[in-house]
Amino acid sequence: MKKAFIIYGTVICLIFAYANYNGWTVADSVKSGKWGPHGHSAYHK
Amino acid sequence: MAGDELKSTTEHKPASVKVFNCPSCGAGVVLRAVGQSITAVCGSCAAIIDSSNENYKVLEKASKTGKRDQVIPLGQRGKFRGVVWEVIGYVERSDGSSVYTWSEYLLFNPIKGFRWLTEFDGHWNYVITTKSRPTEDNLGRRKVTYLSKDYYLFHTGLAKVIYVIGEFYWQVKQGETVQVEDYVSPPEILSSEKSNNEIVWSLGEYVSQSEVKSAFQISKPMPLQSGVAPNQPSTVTETANYAGKYWGMFLGILFLIQLASMFLSKNETVYSGQFTYSSTDTEKLKVSPQFELSHGMSNLEVSVSAPVQNNWVEIQSDLVNDDNGESEDFEQGIEYYFGYDSDGSWTEGSQNSSLVLSSIPSGKYHLNIEASGPALPILNPAITMDVVTPESAVAKNSYWQNGKLKAVEPVLNEKIEGIAKYYFENGQLNKEIAFRNGERNGKYTIYAEDGSVQQTGVHLNGQLNGNVKWYNSKGVVTRDVYYNNGVLVPNNSANASSLTLNVVIKRDVTTWSNFLWALFLISFFPILVLWRNRSFEMSRWSQSDFSPYYQHQEEN
């Protein structure tokens, strides 16, 4: 278990470094958002 | 349990075994720790006999308590922790309520002295009397410290001897009751036994059932194990310790990588421009000049800002690679609202929106932008919808039943083209509507039966667009609203004559999203282990009146 966690953590760090170097971005993968009348319901307090 | 040290530490010769007759019933009583034990219990009649000298005086007559089927019989020898021990005494004790009972086996080795093996609910402890008295700390959570280690109070109560057999190094009595306090620091338990004239501290260590069974070659079934013992070591404590340690290490590495990425990122502006939408602008698609992306693969941040107020605009964009024609489409929205209510002023949203595109290769690009939404100025249809009836159009007339003209529609290529007129049954003009290509396109006017104008407006492709006004019989405007493609929109949008989008594109920017994802992934396992460890500890302390987890329940 200990060895598995060390390997797992190391792989995560390596992927993170590689992703940063190549400009990978995982946030907002669909590159869109819902806008329009449904997007500002909080306006009507 | 009382002190277990030998009377003389220089006495290392093997213990001699002696047999004498019970002065009460005459049965043979075996002494295995001759010279060490001071009381012996007759295995036949359970009379307690003074074995400190050869007079063998009866200290307590036989009790009515029956025989016990103890797990390890008296006289059984076993090699435990590298030392050969012999079971010479057995005590059963119960708590004050007599609900819980536990067993204590007195072990003897002529060199090492006395030890105890205790068993409760199938959990075993290997116990030795402490050499010094622990220091007590009653501030906050009650604990004691022994050999620089803290032990937390788990249980207080009475312990009463309910059955005894064998020989002992103190004067044992049936029914003898002591005040017990147990402090735990798994896998150890520190217990004090307080009687009228002394306090005895002993240190127990949790041992597995299999270890006991193997050491004393026990063939009969071991007691069924249930629950979690006060000092039972958690199966995940060690895992939790190293998971926490390596989690910290990986967190440090992630921080270093993130700092290096921030330091090395170029954050270079590759394009900055403005796109203006006006009320006279019929083209919604805007195209940026060409710009170049370098540095191989890297991310791209597209930031758009627009001065919208209590409104929103949606921007659909295409990043087109001019080298190979490939494009990446994405959407951004800008919405900004503000106001004032009973809690004071408030705002929501932002006039800026930015989005990071992942891993865009180098090359020459341009951006196509198309905005939509009520924040855009209303296209003024009056400018583009000046409709006239073509001379080649043929008038198609229809009539009321009374013979009066009902409608005159100019038709060209089987579609209405030009100004169509519609009449009331009395012949008075009712509507003038502009058509183009068979659809309502252009100005329209609706008249009342008295000939006054009732409503004016403009159609674009069959939908109301722009001002729609209602009038009373005196020609005064009673209502004035704005439509955009058939949808009623707020006045302030229509009042704006233009909306300018500011677009900035940056190459190789710093983001934190990858860091947060990596942090989540490396934290998942430690959190799971800590949760399991906590569940185990809660189960352990659920048996205690001094639980750090259930204090609120105790207060209730």
Side-chain angles (χ1 to χ4, degrees):
Chain A
M1 190 71 95
K2 186 176 177 179
K3 197 174 176 184
F5 182 58
I6 293 170
I7 292 170
Y8 171 77
T10 306
V11 169
I12 295 294
C13 289
L14 288 174
I15 292 174
F16 173 60
Y18 187 77
N20 273 13
Y21 180 77
N22 282 284
W24 290 0
T25 306
V26 284
D28 197 14
S29 57
V30 294
K31 294 188 279 296
S32 66
K34 182 64 185 169
W35 300 98
H38 306 291
H40 53 79
S41 56
Y43 169 59
H44 305 288
K45 283 191 171 181
Chain B
M1 283 170 249
D4 64 348
E5 293 304 310
L6 289 170
K7 285 176 181 171
S8 167
T9 54
T10 57
E11 191 177 348
H12 286 174
K13 62 182 180 183
S16 56
V17 175
K18 189 173 183 179
V19 181
F20 66 93
N21 293 327
C22 173
S24 180
C25 69
V29 179
V30 179
L31 281 184
R32 295 179 176 85
V34 179
Q36 303 295 327
S37 61
I38 62 169
T39 54
V41 181
C42 175
S44 178
C45 69
I48 298 173
I49 305 154
D50 181 358
S51 61
S52 61
N53 57 62
E54 295 191 349
N55 293 330
Y56 302 124
K57 184 182 166 189
V58 175
L59 296 171
E60 190 177 316
K61 289 192 176 177
S63 68
K64 291 176 184 176
T65 313
K67 281 193 170 183
R68 293 296 199 277
D69 188 21
Q70 64 224 47
V71 179
I72 316 174
L74 291 183
Q76 179 72 41
R77 289 185 179 187
K79 193 170 185 181
F80 187 80
R81 305 277 166 98
V83 177
V84 176
W85 298 99
E86 183 173 357
V87 178
I88 64 167
Y90 173 75
V91 181
E92 248 181 48
R93 300 210 279 186
S94 75
D95 67 332
S97 64
S98 298
V99 173
Y100 301 104
T101 62
W102 62 94
S103 306
E104 298 177 354
Y105 298 84
L106 180 59
L107 310 179
F108 176 70
N109 175 281
I111 297 172
K112 295 288 183 182
F114 298 98
R115 300 288 187 274
W116 290 89
L117 265 181
T118 65
E119 181 272 321
F120 174 64
D121 272 354
H123 298 281
W124 293 81
N125 277 295
Y126 176 63
V127 181
I128 183 171
T129 306
T130 62
K131 287 182 166 49
S132 59
R133 181 173 178 164
T135 54
E136 296 183 49
D137 180 3
N138 290 329
L139 291 174
R141 194 178 168 196
R142 278 185 65 186
K143 67 176 183 183
V144 294
T145 305
Y146 179 65
L147 300 179
S148 304
K149 192 172 178 181
D150 291 337
Y151 297 78
Y152 291 93
L153 182 61
F154 189 89
H155 167 76
T156 63
L158 298 174
K160 181 182 176 185
V161 175
I162 57 172
Y163 179 78
V164 62
I165 193 166
E167 57 191 294
F168 302 90
Y169 55 81
W170 79 98
Q171 195 167 319
V172 68
K173 285 181 187 173
Q174 289 266 17
E176 184 183 45
T177 302
V178 291
Q179 178 73 35
V180 177
E181 286 187 354
D182 292 325
Y183 298 81
V184 297
S185 177
E188 292 173 349
I189 183 167
L190 198 58
S191 302
S192 76
E193 293 185 6
K194 190 176 181 182
S195 59
N196 289 336
N197 48 11
E198 66 173 354
I199 298 178
V200 177
W201 287 88
S202 56
L203 182 65
E205 183 189 350
Y206 189 88
V207 291
S208 70
Q209 214 173 43
S210 58
E211 191 179 357
V212 175
K213 186 171 184 173
S214 163
F216 290 91
Q217 294 124 37
I218 300 167
S219 55
K220 63 166 63 175
M222 297 293 278
L224 192 65
Q225 202 170 69
S226 67
V228 177
N231 59 326
Q232 184 176 347
S234 163
T235 51
V236 288
T237 297
E238 191 193 349
T239 312
N241 287 341
Y242 78 70
K245 179 180 148 193
Y246 284 106
W247 179 83
M249 188 186 80
F250 288 133
L251 182 65
I253 293 171
L254 290 179
F255 256 118
L256 287 177
I257 294 171
Q258 180 68 11
L259 286 175
S261 300
M262 291 168 72
F263 182 73
L264 294 173
S265 64
K266 294 184 174 60
N267 217 26
E268 174 192 8
T269 301
V270 291
Y271 173 74
S272 177
Q274 293 185 332
F275 300 92
T276 301
Y277 286 85
S278 71
S279 59
T280 58
D281 196 352
T282 56
E283 186 56 66
K284 284 193 172 181
L285 180 67
K286 310 287 183 186
V287 181
S288 78
Q290 189 180 67
F291 52 89
E292 187 162 0
L293 304 182
S294 53
H295 315 308
M297 284 279 193
S298 192
N299 62 18
L300 205 65
E301 184 188 65
V302 181
S303 301
V304 183
S305 63
V308 296
Q309 294 194 335
N310 283 331
N311 219 324
W312 60 272
V313 62
E314 181 185 358
I315 302 125
Q316 291 181 310
S317 307
D318 268 318
L319 180 70
V320 183
N321 186 329
D322 292 334
D323 297 331
N324 55 22
E326 289 182 358
S327 70
E328 180 133 9
D329 62 298
F330 53 94
E331 294 176 9
Q332 287 170 279
I334 297 173
E335 56 178 345
Y336 180 68
Y337 294 88
F338 60 90
Y340 192 87
D341 59 19
S342 57
D343 295 329
S345 61
W346 56 268
T347 64
E348 186 186 341
S350 167
Q351 293 179 326
N352 305 296
S353 170
S354 70
L355 177 143
V356 177
L357 300 175
S358 174
S359 201
I360 303 295
S362 56
K364 289 176 179 170
Y365 289 83
H366 73 266
L367 191 68
N368 294 337
I369 280 187
E370 189 170 346
S372 60
L376 291 179
I378 302 293
L379 195 63
N380 189 345
I383 293 169
T384 56
M385 293 289 109
D386 191 12
V387 177
V388 292
T389 303
E391 289 182 3
S392 54
V394 178
K396 181 186 171 188
N397 297 344
S398 59
Y399 298 89
W400 294 102
Q401 285 183 341
N402 61 9
K404 297 274 187 183
L405 196 59
K406 184 179 182 182
V408 179
E409 294 174 328
V411 175
L412 186 66
N413 298 328
E414 299 181 348
K415 290 179 180 173
I416 304 174
E417 188 75 29
I419 308 298
K421 294 182 178 180
Y422 302 88
Y423 298 88
F424 289 110
E425 215 167 344
N426 62 7
Q428 185 69 35
L429 182 62
N430 178 207
K431 298 174 190 170
E432 281 183 321
I433 303 172
F435 280 83
R436 185 181 282 176
N437 282 326
E439 274 194 331
R440 294 181 179 204
N441 270 299
K443 295 177 183 175
Y444 74 90
T445 306
I446 299 174
Y447 299 91
E449 281 193 82
D450 63 1
S452 63
V453 174
Q454 199 174 46
Q455 183 185 342
T456 60
V458 179
H459 288 111
L460 184 62
N461 298 324
Q463 303 282 357
L464 284 172
N465 269 281
N467 294 75
V468 176
K469 294 179 181 177
W470 281 262
Y471 305 85
N472 62 17
S473 58
K474 294 176 182 173
V476 177
V477 175
T478 57
R479 192 179 173 212
D480 185 358
V481 295
Y482 295 84
Y483 278 84
N484 183 20
N485 287 325
V487 178
L488 188 67
V489 294
N491 284 356
N492 57 346
S493 298
N495 291 340
S497 59
S498 66
L499 180 74
T500 300
L501 305 179
N502 290 294
V503 179
V504 177
I505 301 178
K506 287 184 176 178
R507 179 71 159 163
D508 194 12
V509 296
T510 302
T511 62
W512 282 88
S513 58
N514 290 351
F515 176 81
L516 294 175
W517 271 102
L519 180 63
F520 169 76
L521 289 173
I522 65 159
S523 302
F524 184 77
F525 176 69
I527 288 171
L528 183 71
V529 170
L530 287 174
W531 175 74
R532 282 193 59 197
N533 195 42
R534 181 182 162 84
S535 299
F536 187 90
E537 290 301 321
M538 287 179 76
S539 176
R540 176 204 311 284
W541 285 95
S542 66
Q543 303 299 317
S544 171
D545 291 335
F546 305 93
S547 168
Y549 301 101
Y550 298 102
Q551 282 176 353
H552 61 287
Q553 290 178 6
E554 289 163 20
E555 285 164 9
N556 291 338

